[in-house]
Amino acid sequence: MKLTGKVLVAQGGGPTAVINQSLVGAVLESRKFPQVTKVYGAINGVNGIINENFIDLTQETTHNLEQIAVTPSSALRSTRDKPDEKYCLAIFEMLQAHEIRYFFYIGGNDSADTVRIVNAYAEKSDYEFRAIHIPKTIDNDLLVNDHTPGYGSAAKFVAQAFTGADLDNRSLPGVYIGVVMGRTAGFLTAAASLAQKYHDDGPHLIYLPERVFSLEQFLIDVAAVYDKHGRCVVAVSEGISDESGTPVAATLTPTVEKDAHGNLNLSGGALGDLLANFVKKKLGVKRVRSDTFGYLQRSFPLAVSSVDQNEAREVGEKAAQFAIWYDADGSVTIHRTGDYSVDYRLTPLDQVARHTKSMPPEFINSKGNYVTDAFKNYARPLVGSLPSIAHLRAPEIPRIVRR
Amino acid sequence: MKLTGKVLVAQGGGPTAVINQSLVGAVLESRKFPQVTKVYGAINGVNGIINENFIDLTQETTHNLEQIAVTPSSALRSTRDKPDEKYCLAIFEMLQAHEIRYFFYIGGNDSADTVRIVNAYAEKSDYEFRAIHIPKTIDNDLLVNDHTPGYGSAAKFVAQAFTGADLDNRSLPGVYIGVVMGRTAGFLTAAASLAQKYHDDGPHLIYLPERVFSLEQFLIDVAAVYDKHGRCVVAVSEGISDESGTPVAATLTPTVEKDAHGNLNLSGGALGDLLANFVKKKLGVKRVRSDTFGYLQRSFPLAVSSVDQNEAREVGEKAAQFAIWYDADGSVTIHRTGDYSVDYRLTPLDQVARHTKSMPPEFINSKGNYVTDAFKNYARPLVGSLPSIAHLRAPEIPRIVRR
């Protein structure tokens, strides 16, 4: 028997450039089924559920939904709430009150865990209910998945930012340090390498949170590249830490400010600025610059990967199909089936929830300061097509004055 | 009689996303003329001239030149050298030694001045010589010109960065501050407004170096927007200063570091971080974030304006035409002849050299915290087409639990 009732879709955690594709995929697919009486959206993720902030997506036009699909960031808005058991019970009770029979939550591993707990309450209460987690995260750190929607577009931004920064650094040489998001997983920082074309294109060094960061080794590495190329472009993850696990920004800050809770106050541009000053002082390089890519990298409208966009749409659609055709619960996961092709499966929620994954050792070089070809082969299909850049190769004119 | 001899092209100052279009326009157009015996390129601008670092662009393939044209940043590399009279004499002597008869220098107002002085030496020496300045600058601050090549693409980046940041801020509300390049002219910061669509789209406040910045008024402005929308997106120019002309970052830094020359050491992300901490402390807003767009805004490959690209190509072509068809010296300038159309003229170098322009009063609102429609009408054609974003407009569901 078909389960008749309402669908609720929500978005949680940090936005991505393609998270609305998943929303629109789930909504449009759900609207096709006669047993779906309404499609609701929760405003501000789980926070909107417990506060009963719902909108009726059955009354959105298809055109506006398609416009939403190509709009970055979470159209239903998001939340940083991480529900505990009690919070999840409140979610379940509100869903029950509105006779929600299908719940689709787009988010990372925390969101998967919320879906898991809410679903457990439904099972305990014998309330007929289907709950699906739809994956998204620019960090690409979800278990089971080959990769996650949102990563490809953020990776495209980072790759292109380094193409531009490298060309800039070529024309006015010095040391350039770009700080990329990713506190524990280095996939996004590693993407700095993806648009390289010529052998001397930067970034020349890539530092990931998966490896211990040593300031001494960093200086030696930068000096070696600078000696060779007369310039050096570096990608560092915001999450790099020393042997003791202390964030590098903290070890470099002369007077470490702590807030009321004893947390380090490491503001946005701090790590990049501190590393740049450190290189300037220690190596005596005149032109040292840094940028912190910050929020630009996860919602820049012009850096959307077509592959990422399509897949984000498909995981949303598959969520509706798994729940409504198959009466199943779980997390939609992406599996690579060729070079390049993927398929979608439904994975038990507890296999995706809570834990995260990092860059596997075969993606990082032995010195821990760059990525391997294995990483590039893995990640290149995910960013879609990139514009091609070129360098001049005209011959030098023999000197007649300053011989 | 046609002046027979070599052409030399060079690029100076900060790179732009389209500066190579001007290079390629000048090179390909010059190569058509039989009286042009060779087309040289100087590596590293004027620095490459006095050091005799030339390459033979006559031997570049057309295909590679077209690839170069769509590559951001200066393919001939650049320099921060600002030649004085003696330096300009050395330039002239090197040009004479290589029998350069046509000199095209792509750059800002300093570059125009260099062209002017070098040309004066040629005239004094009765050396037959044509010198043309080709405009470029992301700051859009060249005199006589309606606007300058490089601005439209940087403006497109800034407009899209704020679209993304605003969508991000919508989904996770708080105060967001984006710091944009431009020490004395606010055109690029003003571009933050260009992709706004809905009435409540950010940025809600824009602070330009053309107006005195008051921290007190800034707090009042931010608080008012936050009260109204529950969030606030702000664009500030890196050049904002207080009544005494002191940079805002300096007034906010508790202990101001000075370097050996007594200059303030205001590192990359400092202004944004300081403003964010200030707002957090004074207004008690929990989520306050800032980004400093830095070098991304001038060479991001995916944010090139098609209009800017075409015009940058044309000013390069026109330089060759003015010099070779008309035996004229000067600066190629852009003039608006319709909405939207432009034409190119040759302007005496001393009218473009040295001085810069700022945002005219009619482009800034009376409160000094936003731009006018006049600015938007002026700037919108320059950024080319922008992707359209959308917001949901589905009706709210009546509450049944929390009434």
Side-chain angles (χ1 to χ4, degrees):
Chain A
M1 204 197 86
K2 300 274 182 191
L3 179 60
T4 296
K6 299 189 190 102
V7 164
L8 176 71
V9 192
Q11 295 173 307
T16 82
V18 297
I19 191 170
N20 291 333
Q21 289 284 358
S22 300
L23 167 67
V24 171
V27 171
L28 289 181
E29 189 66 11
S30 295
R31 298 205 315 193
K32 291 179 187 163
F33 288 88
Q35 65 267 47
V36 171
T37 55
K38 287 267 189 187
V39 179
Y40 282 11
I43 299 297
N44 292 122
V46 286
N47 187 282
I49 300 178
I50 60 169
N51 288 305
E52 206 178 2
N53 288 328
F54 299 126
I55 59 173
D56 185 1
L57 294 170
T58 330
Q59 297 186 50
E60 260 299 349
T61 64
T62 309
H63 171 71
N64 203 49
L65 284 171
E66 289 296 356
Q67 293 285 106
I68 296 285
V70 294
T71 298
S73 193
S74 313
L76 286 172
R77 304 180 193 179
S78 192
T79 178
R80 284 295 186 191
D81 287 2
K82 289 184 187 177
D84 55 13
E85 292 276 337
K86 200 180 137 199
Y87 195 121
C88 286
L89 179 59
I91 293 174
F92 170 64
E93 287 171 349
M94 188 62 79
L95 298 182
Q96 203 174 13
H98 279 270
E99 291 168 50
I100 306 289
R101 294 291 176 176
Y102 300 97
F103 175 41
F104 305 138
Y105 197 27
I106 309 164
N109 61 317
D110 286 333
S111 304
D113 204 39
T114 300
V115 175
R116 182 184 66 79
I117 302 172
V118 171
N119 198 40
Y121 279 115
E123 281 173 11
K124 246 188 272 175
S125 317
D126 277 331
Y127 178 71
E128 275 293 315
F129 183 68
R130 300 291 160 259
I132 307 255
H133 165 247
I134 301 171
K136 78 86 211 168
T137 166
I138 62 166
D139 293 328
N140 197 36
D141 62 356
L142 289 190
L143 293 175
V144 187
N145 291 274
D146 177 77
H147 60 277
T148 46
Y151 172 65
S153 297
K156 182 171 179 172
F157 182 92
V158 170
Q160 288 295 279
F162 273 94
T163 297
D166 186 63
L167 290 164
D168 207 300
N169 185 263
R170 237 169 227 286
S171 85
L172 292 167
V175 174
Y176 177 87
I177 301 164
V179 180
V180 182
M181 273 185 176
R183 291 195 183 269
T184 57
F187 291 102
L188 193 54
T189 307
S193 68
L194 295 178
Q196 285 175 322
K197 181 173 163 180
Y198 298 85
H199 290 307
D200 61 343
D201 282 351
H204 309 98
L205 298 167
I206 299 177
Y207 297 96
L208 308 163
E210 284 84 355
R211 292 288 176 271
V212 168
F213 184 86
S214 146
L215 279 167
E216 293 67 39
Q217 190 56 47
F218 169 68
L219 273 190
I220 293 169
D221 292 350
V222 171
V225 172
Y226 195 81
D227 281 350
K228 188 176 173 191
H229 297 298
R231 65 190 195 89
C232 181
V233 175
V234 189
V236 305
S237 162
E238 60 175 355
I240 51 169
S241 309
D242 70 11
E243 236 169 317
S244 69
T246 310
V248 172
T251 65
L252 282 169
T253 308
T255 321
V256 175
E257 277 181 52
K258 290 194 179 185
D259 67 16
H261 306 278
N263 295 319
L264 291 173
N265 184 359
L266 298 171
S267 49
L271 176 61
D273 290 347
L274 289 164
L275 282 176
N277 286 339
F278 182 70
V279 168
K280 206 170 193 164
K281 217 164 91 183
K282 296 283 182 175
L283 295 186
V285 176
K286 210 176 146 196
R287 193 169 196 275
V288 187
R289 300 286 186 269
S290 81
D291 283 325
T292 302
F293 297 171
Y295 295 93
L296 300 182
Q297 59 204 311
R298 70 183 187 194
S299 49
F300 197 75
L302 296 170
V304 174
S305 152
S306 57
V307 173
D308 192 27
Q309 201 167 35
N310 294 336
E311 292 177 356
R313 181 67 163 249
E314 287 186 288
V315 291
E317 272 185 54
K318 291 307 291 182
Q321 292 179 3
F322 283 130
I324 309 174
W325 283 123
Y326 291 93
D327 276 342
D329 306 304
S331 177
V332 180
T333 49
I334 304 185
H335 303 264
R336 195 176 296 223
T337 57
D339 187 14
Y340 173 79
S341 63
V342 294
D343 201 3
Y344 305 98
R345 298 180 198 150
L346 198 64
T347 297
L349 287 158
D350 58 2
Q351 288 182 29
V352 177
R354 280 167 300 179
H355 303 292
T356 58
K357 75 175 177 191
S358 313
M359 289 267 283
E362 64 267 27
F363 284 180
I364 308 173
N365 75 350
S366 58
K367 285 183 175 172
N369 63 9
Y370 204 71
V371 298
T372 60
D373 284 349
F375 169 75
K376 292 188 179 182
N377 291 338
Y378 159 79
R380 272 200 181 125
L382 311 180
V383 297
S385 66
L386 297 173
S388 177
I389 58 106
H391 302 323
L392 286 167
R393 53 188 182 198
E396 285 175 24
I397 302 290
R399 293 180 170 193
I400 55 177
V401 179
R402 293 176 161 257
R403 272 176 288 209
Chain B
M1 204 197 88
K2 301 275 184 191
L3 179 59
T4 297
K6 298 186 190 106
V7 164
L8 175 71
V9 192
Q11 296 172 307
T16 82
V18 297
I19 191 170
N20 291 334
Q21 288 284 359
S22 299
L23 167 67
V24 171
V27 170
L28 289 180
E29 189 66 10
S30 296
R31 298 204 315 194
K32 291 179 187 163
F33 289 87
Q35 66 268 47
V36 171
T37 55
K38 287 269 189 185
V39 179
Y40 282 12
I43 300 297
N44 291 121
V46 287
N47 187 281
I49 301 179
I50 61 169
N51 287 307
E52 207 179 2
N53 288 327
F54 299 126
I55 59 171
D56 185 0
L57 294 171
T58 330
Q59 297 186 50
E60 259 299 348
T61 63
T62 309
H63 169 71
N64 203 48
L65 284 171
E66 289 296 358
Q67 293 285 106
I68 297 285
V70 295
T71 298
S73 192
S74 313
L76 285 172
R77 306 182 191 178
S78 192
T79 177
R80 285 295 186 191
D81 287 2
K82 289 184 186 177
D84 55 13
E85 293 276 337
K86 201 180 137 199
Y87 195 120
C88 286
L89 180 60
I91 292 173
F92 170 64
E93 287 172 349
M94 189 61 80
L95 298 182
Q96 203 175 13
H98 279 271
E99 292 169 48
I100 306 289
R101 295 292 177 175
Y102 302 96
F103 175 40
F104 305 138
Y105 197 26
I106 309 163
N109 60 317
D110 285 334
S111 305
D113 204 41
T114 300
V115 174
R116 183 185 66 79
I117 303 171
V118 170
N119 198 39
Y121 278 117
E123 279 174 12
K124 245 187 274 177
S125 316
D126 276 334
Y127 178 71
E128 276 292 316
F129 183 67
R130 301 292 160 258
I132 307 255
H133 165 247
I134 300 171
K136 77 87 209 167
T137 165
I138 62 165
D139 293 327
N140 197 36
D141 63 354
L142 288 189
L143 293 174
V144 187
N145 291 274
D146 176 75
H147 60 277
T148 46
Y151 172 66
S153 297
K156 182 171 179 171
F157 181 92
V158 170
Q160 289 295 280
F162 274 94
T163 297
D166 186 62
L167 290 163
D168 207 300
N169 184 264
R170 238 170 226 286
S171 85
L172 292 167
V175 175
Y176 177 86
I177 301 163
V179 180
V180 183
M181 273 188 177
R183 292 196 181 269
T184 57
F187 291 102
L188 193 54
T189 306
S193 67
L194 294 178
Q196 286 175 323
K197 182 172 163 181
Y198 298 84
H199 290 308
D200 60 343
D201 282 352
H204 308 97
L205 298 166
I206 299 176
Y207 297 96
L208 309 162
E210 283 84 355
R211 291 289 176 271
V212 168
F213 184 85
S214 148
L215 279 168
E216 293 68 38
Q217 190 57 47
F218 169 68
L219 273 191
I220 294 169
D221 293 350
V222 171
V225 172
Y226 195 80
D227 282 349
K228 189 176 171 188
H229 297 298
R231 63 191 197 90
C232 181
V233 174
V234 189
V236 306
S237 161
E238 59 175 354
I240 51 168
S241 309
D242 70 11
E243 239 171 313
S244 70
T246 309
V248 172
T251 66
L252 282 169
T253 308
T255 320
V256 175
E257 278 182 51
K258 291 192 179 187
D259 67 15
H261 305 279
N263 295 318
L264 290 173
N265 184 359
L266 297 172
S267 50
L271 176 59
D273 289 346
L274 289 164
L275 282 176
N277 286 339
F278 181 70
V279 168
K280 204 169 194 165
K281 217 164 89 182
K282 295 282 181 176
L283 296 186
V285 176
K286 210 177 149 195
R287 192 167 196 275
V288 187
R289 300 287 186 269
S290 81
D291 282 325
T292 302
F293 297 172
Y295 294 92
L296 301 183
Q297 60 204 310
R298 71 183 187 194
S299 48
F300 197 76
L302 296 170
V304 174
S305 152
S306 57
V307 172
D308 191 28
Q309 199 168 38
N310 293 336
E311 291 177 356
R313 180 66 162 250
E314 287 185 290
V315 291
E317 271 184 54
K318 291 306 292 182
Q321 293 178 2
F322 284 130
I324 309 173
W325 284 121
Y326 290 93
D327 276 343
D329 306 305
S331 178
V332 180
T333 49
I334 304 185
H335 303 263
R336 195 177 296 222
T337 58
D339 186 16
Y340 174 79
S341 63
V342 295
D343 201 4
Y344 306 98
R345 297 179 198 149
L346 198 64
T347 297
L349 287 158
D350 58 2
Q351 289 182 28
V352 177
R354 279 166 301 180
H355 303 292
T356 57
K357 76 174 175 191
S358 312
M359 290 267 283
E362 65 266 28
F363 284 181
I364 308 173
N365 74 349
S366 58
K367 286 184 176 171
N369 64 9
Y370 204 71
V371 297
T372 60
D373 284 350
F375 169 75
K376 291 189 180 181
N377 292 337
Y378 159 80
R380 273 199 180 126
L382 310 180
V383 297
S385 65
L386 296 173
S388 177
I389 58 104
H391 303 322
L392 286 168
R393 51 185 185 200
E396 284 175 24
I397 302 291
R399 292 179 171 197
I400 54 175
V401 179
R402 293 176 163 258
R403 275 176 284 208

